[in-house]
Amino acid sequence: MAVGTATACAPSQGAVAPSSAAAAPASAGVGTSTGTMGAPGIGDPDFPSDGNGGYDVRHYDLRLSYDPSSRKLAGSATIEAKAAQDLTSFDLDLHGLTVSRVAVDGAAASFSRSQDELVIEPAQRIRNGDGFAVTVDYSGVPEPMHDTANLGRYGFIATPDGAFVTCEPNGAKTWFPSNDHPADKATYDFRITVPEGLTAIANGEMAGTPQTTAGKTTFVWREKHPMASYLATMTTGKFQVRTGTSAKGLPIYAAVADSFRGSLDTLFTQTGKITDYWSTVFGPYPFSSTGGVIDDYAAGYALENQTKPIYGGFSPEPAIIAHELAHQWFGDSLSIGRWRDLWLNEGFATYAEWLWAEHTGQGTADSAFRRYYENAADPMWAYPPGAARADDLFSAAVYNRGAMTLHALRREIGDQKFFPLIRAWADAHRYGNVSTREFIALAERVSGKDLKGLFDAWLFQPKRPAPVM
Ligand code: TRP
Ligand code: ZN
């Protein structure tokens, strides 16, 4: 799905490209198709080979079987898509793994591999506007990705009893063939088979009860709301599970690895409470369930996997749960169209931590803002967060200076405009793609103020902005 809309407004420096990269590539370059060959990238200027051009995915149907003892994954992925041009060939993203068969609309298709591109040539040309289904059968031992700057390993990470699967920004391709970029969101069905006794956790809600035959259990999960590929998970292992509903009646699924048994009830309770609270601040919760997973893989970080954030090897404090659950609105329901705009995810989620502290009487957002502002030597002043850098994507500047941008905006327009703006933002782009330009335009519309100077100073200048009064 490519539901992003480009609204007409004065472009601000560094925030000029449209966000609907799947339908309309962000800039001339790899996203631009040549003839009838789908482009090997979706058009993100900073991640030129991520995603693909020429089609728009509607739905992924993933049948997966994982054996922790051999670390072998076997999969059959059916991808339903719509052609955005005539296609004699197109790409999917896939990292490692061995492809045994590809079929397009039921007919065998030829294919080749080139780095992380799976190039598919259907027997018949696909016509612009036509729907088509491609099935890829594959298997192998998944290899995670590496980010030297911020994250270490990400993607499909084997653990002694299963797998810890957190894929931001482009690790979905370590376990299924995909249009691996948030500009092309789709719905998902997962059918995951693991040895009996283990639990397989994916996004959305479980369909039916897990079925066990011959020592293997199959879990069926369905995410019926559009989702970016990096938010998909198939986290597996030995888990303690608690299900129920929040005070407002939203279903909750909480799971913890055995060694975090003592944290299950807190995770369950806080998740329900915080999700309910955010729905009063940000507007209606966008999905059909909330939840959380604590695995015993010591990643040291968390990821906002849609409907079920995952915490890597630690019992999260409420502030972290507040961060990951705020992402359900900002990041998951509203997804960026290119990675440079990451502050729209991380600045908002970090600001949510400050709002949570304010709500629970642990210090105001203003005091957090001032603490950061006072440190004139903080390296974030040299890093403009409105242009997140591919080689340092998850920089602290994107998080903290991004959050400060929202606080500076709040001070400028007042709470009576700021909170309605945030709700209007979440509402206007629900399940879609967004850009910085669109946020600035909406902020100006809601407040009736010219805010270009404020956003330029906070997002795009490599120096500490002048003090906010
Ligand atoms: N988005 C995560 C957060 O701020 C951080 C993150 C980025 C991450 N990439 C990741 C976590 C990959 C796990 C795996 O909460
Ligand atoms: Zn975050």
Side-chain angles (χ1 to χ4, degrees):
M1 295 186 190
V3 262
T5 48
T7 50
C9 63
S12 160
Q13 184 196 347
V16 289
S19 67
S20 50
S27 59
V30 289
T32 308
S33 58
T34 45
T36 58
M37 287 157 62
I42 203 167
D44 188 322
D46 305 304
F47 292 83
S49 58
D50 283 10
N52 306 285
Y55 64 91
D56 178 17
V57 177
R58 296 297 158 89
H59 183 73
Y60 291 92
D61 188 358
L62 306 178
R63 291 163 188 252
L64 301 147
S65 172
Y66 187 61
D67 174 30
S69 61
S70 64
R71 301 189 158 196
K72 221 177 145 183
L73 176 71
S76 178
T78 296
I79 297 143
E80 294 167 27
K82 187 173 179 219
Q85 63 175 76
D86 279 9
L87 289 171
T88 51
S89 76
F90 63 92
D91 286 14
L92 289 167
D93 300 312
L94 186 65
H95 177 77
L97 303 165
T98 302
V99 174
S100 54
R101 174 182 161 267
V102 177
V104 175
D105 290 333
S110 56
F111 60 92
S112 60
R113 306 289 302 271
S114 162
Q115 285 162 340
D116 287 356
E117 303 291 330
L118 168 62
V119 182
I120 298 170
E121 249 184 82
Q124 307 262 325
R125 166 193 295 237
I126 300 166
R127 300 280 163 195
N128 185 15
D130 281 359
F132 63 99
V134 49
T135 298
V136 179
D137 295 340
Y138 61 101
S139 64
V141 175
E143 290 169 20
M145 304 289 290
H146 257 279
D147 171 341
T148 44
N150 316 115
L151 298 168
R153 293 200 294 168
Y154 65 98
F156 189 108
I157 298 169
T159 61
D161 64 348
F164 176 83
V165 182
T166 52
C167 300
E168 192 181 18
N170 52 13
K173 64 183 173 187
T174 66
W175 61 285
F176 66 98
S178 50
N179 197 14
D180 196 6
H181 191 282
D184 190 2
K185 301 171 75 168
T187 55
Y188 285 72
D189 278 317
F190 305 86
R191 177 178 297 272
I192 307 167
T193 302
V194 290
E196 184 175 3
L198 301 188
T199 301
I201 303 167
N203 312 85
E205 295 79 49
M206 223 190 280
T209 44
Q211 299 295 315
T212 301
T213 35
K216 290 182 176 203
T217 307
T218 298
F219 294 78
V220 178
W221 290 90
R222 179 162 298 158
E223 175 50 65
K224 62 185 183 197
H225 301 290
M227 177 164 76
S229 53
Y230 76 88
L231 299 169
T233 191
M234 59 163 293
T235 293
T236 39
K238 280 197 122 171
F239 285 99
Q240 305 286 321
V241 177
R242 182 173 165 192
T243 59
T245 52
S246 73
K248 286 179 172 248
L250 188 67
I252 305 171
Y253 181 98
V256 300
D258 280 342
S259 51
F260 289 91
R261 177 187 297 270
S263 300
L264 179 59
D265 289 339
T266 311
L267 176 68
F268 177 90
T269 307
Q270 294 288 343
T271 294
K273 221 163 108 175
I274 296 171
T275 307
D276 281 353
Y277 177 64
W278 285 151
S279 73
T280 71
V281 179
F282 304 142
Y285 182 69
F287 308 122
S288 301
S289 62
T290 186
V293 178
I294 307 177
D295 202 351
D296 53 9
Y297 172 74
Y301 52 61
L303 184 67
E304 62 266 25
N305 289 337
Q306 190 156 310
T307 69
K308 286 175 200 68
I310 177 162
Y311 307 93
F314 62 97
S315 289
E317 295 165 29
I320 304 294
I321 300 176
H323 177 116
E324 305 308 333
L325 291 175
H327 271 309
Q328 302 304 308
W329 283 259
F330 309 110
D332 296 10
S333 171
L334 275 61
S335 299
I336 52 178
R338 51 180 200 168
W339 288 108
R340 195 178 291 188
D341 288 338
L342 186 64
W343 84 279
L344 289 172
N345 295 4
E346 300 305 345
F348 277 64
T350 302
Y351 196 59
E353 292 182 47
W354 301 1
L355 292 175
W356 181 254
E358 199 161 274
H359 172 65
T360 54
Q362 294 170 291
T364 61
D366 209 55
S367 65
F369 176 92
R370 281 168 200 285
R371 219 168 32 246
Y372 282 109
Y373 190 81
E374 275 157 22
N375 183 6
D378 194 312
M380 74 177 159
W381 303 124
Y383 187 131
R389 286 172 16 202
D391 64 351
D392 190 12
L393 197 59
F394 298 96
S395 156
V398 175
Y399 286 69
N400 300 325
R401 195 169 154 185
M404 293 179 82
T405 302
L406 291 173
H407 192 69
L409 173 66
R410 179 178 169 191
R411 293 268 292 265
E412 176 67 25
I413 69 177
D415 286 10
Q416 291 71 18
K417 297 283 187 193
F418 179 79
F419 288 100
L421 162 65
I422 299 304
R423 277 192 291 277
W425 177 240
D427 180 58
H429 301 281
R430 206 167 158 90
Y431 310 133
N433 284 108
V434 291
S435 66
T436 298
R437 193 179 62 165
E438 290 167 316
F439 182 67
I440 295 171
L442 186 65
E444 291 190 323
R445 193 160 354 121
V446 169
S447 68
K449 284 189 157 184
D450 179 347
L451 298 166
K452 285 173 202 66
L454 182 149
F455 282 111
D456 184 58
W458 280 95
L459 293 176
F460 299 115
Q461 294 305 321
K463 60 174 200 275
R464 187 167 72 146
V468 180
M469 15 39 73

